[in-house]
Amino acid sequence: MDKSKPNWSAYLSISVLLVAMFFLVQYLINAQLMDVYYQINLFMIGINIILAVSLNLITGFTGQLSLGHAGFMAVGAYVAAVMTTKLGYSLPVAVLSGCIAAGVAGVLIGVPTLRLKGDYLAIATLGFGEIVRVVLLNIDYVGGAAGLIGIAQLTNWTWLFFSVLVTLLFIQNLINSSYGRACLAVRENEVAAEMMGVDTTKYKILAFTVGAFFAGLAGALYAHYFFIIQPGTFSFFRSFDVLVMVVLGGLGSTTGAVLAAVFLTILSAGLQSFPEIRMVIYSVVLIVTMIYRPQGLMGNKEISLRIFRRVRGEDRGTTRSEEPL
């Protein structure tokens, strides 16, 4: 098979699966065959996928350890909620405003801190997240510690589905572009990348900005589904949750981030009756993963279009060493 030609049958198969999934879930919701509990967890899975994939761009593909993702999510959530609740704008305008605000926050925190590396960068981003949380606690306009209440429930399945789809397509195409290869070069060896002419600071800021933009999208969707947002929702533990998803799925694997987000969201829902041990189990999962599979569930592999060719028997000439997952 000529690999230079696009595999239209695989693209068609994926498109049919996505369309079928969209209309199936929409039917279940409209027919009230899916109760509120399952709907909440479905929406949390979608929001967590956006968060995990966007953080994976920063940590997994660019190699920058960030602990402030909850801060970007908070910026997107509060800006979007203020736009609809206080200023009367429509949801599309509010969501876009929240994403842009989070992206700008990514630039503002990125420019002074992304010359740092490793633990120092992690501490700086952790400080940013806590600054955002404490500032929100002391702003009466957005409810202070009580939070912003009475947000309209405007996030529906259509918004969630296409937001997740756009996030996956955008980030995966960015990774496969020359910008993505530069980010990978920064991750593998920053000194060597600089010697080859890669502006490492520029690409780290790019990854941080794009990751923050989509974290803001997750925050905006969250705010308009759960009616209320509070500063405590966006604490360090929220950033830790997302980091666990990225590490468990595999640093540098978008597929792994998606699978881990689904798995840990379902696990968290199952442990709602035992909130005191939820973080203990999260920690145990992380430790066990680091000991027995330090590369994560997927490592740096992806589920590619070639899997459809294998199913159809069109890829028999490929050796095992050439096969992606």
Side-chain angles (χ1 to χ4, degrees):
M1 180 176 178
D2 186 358
K3 295 179 185 177
S4 64
K5 296 180 180 180
N7 188 1
W8 295 114
S9 62
Y11 286 114
L12 180 61
S13 299
I14 292 175
S15 300
V16 170
L17 287 174
L18 290 173
V19 170
M21 182 177 70
F22 172 77
F23 283 107
L24 174 62
V25 174
Q26 189 66 63
Y27 169 76
L28 293 175
I29 293 174
N30 291 341
Q32 298 183 347
L33 298 175
M34 181 183 294
D35 63 28
V36 175
Y37 174 80
Y38 290 106
Q39 287 186 42
I40 290 174
N41 285 291
L42 174 65
F43 277 75
M44 282 306 305
I45 286 173
I47 291 169
N48 284 337
I49 287 174
I50 296 174
L51 289 171
V53 171
S54 58
L55 181 60
N56 196 34
L57 174 64
I58 300 171
T59 301
F61 288 101
T62 315
Q64 308 304 304
L65 180 57
S66 172
L67 295 176
H69 220 53
F72 299 124
M73 183 183 179
V75 171
Y78 272 89
V79 169
V82 167
M83 292 290 286
T84 55
T85 305
K86 303 282 188 179
L87 303 179
Y89 285 95
S90 63
L91 182 62
V93 174
V95 170
L96 182 60
S97 299
C99 292
I100 293 174
V104 171
V107 175
L108 294 178
I109 189 62
V111 170
T113 63
L114 285 183
R115 295 184 184 275
L116 302 174
K117 300 177 183 178
D119 298 341
Y120 301 103
L121 176 61
I123 293 171
T125 54
L126 173 62
F128 163 76
E130 287 302 295
I131 288 171
V132 170
R133 185 181 66 83
V134 172
V135 167
L136 292 172
L137 278 171
N138 292 278
I139 298 179
D140 293 333
Y141 182 72
V142 293
L148 193 56
I149 303 171
I151 305 169
Q153 191 181 39
L154 301 175
T155 300
N156 54 28
W157 168 241
T158 302
W159 266 99
L160 180 72
F161 179 85
F162 285 103
S163 295
V164 172
L165 189 61
V166 167
T167 301
L168 292 172
L169 289 175
F170 185 93
I171 290 182
Q172 196 58 36
N173 279 283
L174 176 64
I175 292 165
N176 292 330
S177 69
S178 59
Y179 297 100
R181 289 192 291 273
C183 291
L184 291 172
V186 172
R187 181 192 70 183
E188 294 301 323
N189 192 315
E190 191 169 335
V191 174
E194 287 179 346
M195 293 180 65
M196 294 299 293
V198 176
D199 187 343
T200 57
T201 301
K202 168 188 172 181
Y203 287 105
K204 286 192 287 185
I205 292 175
L206 172 67
F208 225 82
T209 303
V210 173
F213 180 93
F214 285 105
L217 172 61
L221 296 176
Y222 181 94
H224 288 91
Y225 186 76
F226 289 100
F227 303 105
I228 178 173
I229 49 175
Q230 297 173 310
T233 304
F234 309 102
S235 67
F236 160 73
F237 295 105
R238 186 62 175 157
S239 294
F240 179 75
D241 281 351
V242 183
L243 181 62
V244 170
M245 295 173 191
V246 172
V247 174
L248 179 63
L251 294 172
S253 172
T254 301
T255 306
V258 172
L259 294 177
V262 173
F263 169 72
L264 289 179
T265 304
I266 294 173
L267 177 63
S268 179
L271 293 173
Q272 285 182 351
S273 301
F274 312 97
E276 64 278 1
I277 66 169
R278 187 176 71 90
M279 293 307 295
V280 174
I281 292 179
Y282 265 45
S283 302
V284 170
V285 168
L286 189 59
I287 292 171
V288 171
T289 301
M290 290 300 95
I291 293 174
Y292 294 102
R293 190 166 175 82
Q295 70 270 40
L297 297 176
M298 297 289 293
N300 59 0
K301 298 182 183 298
E302 304 284 1
I303 296 178
S304 70
L305 292 176
R306 189 169 296 170
I307 192 172
F308 290 92
R309 293 202 292 268
R310 289 190 216 161
V311 171
R312 295 167 62 92
E314 299 174 4
D315 201 30
R316 292 183 182 133
T318 304
T319 63
R320 290 185 64 85
S321 61
E322 295 174 330
E323 291 183 351
L325 188 63

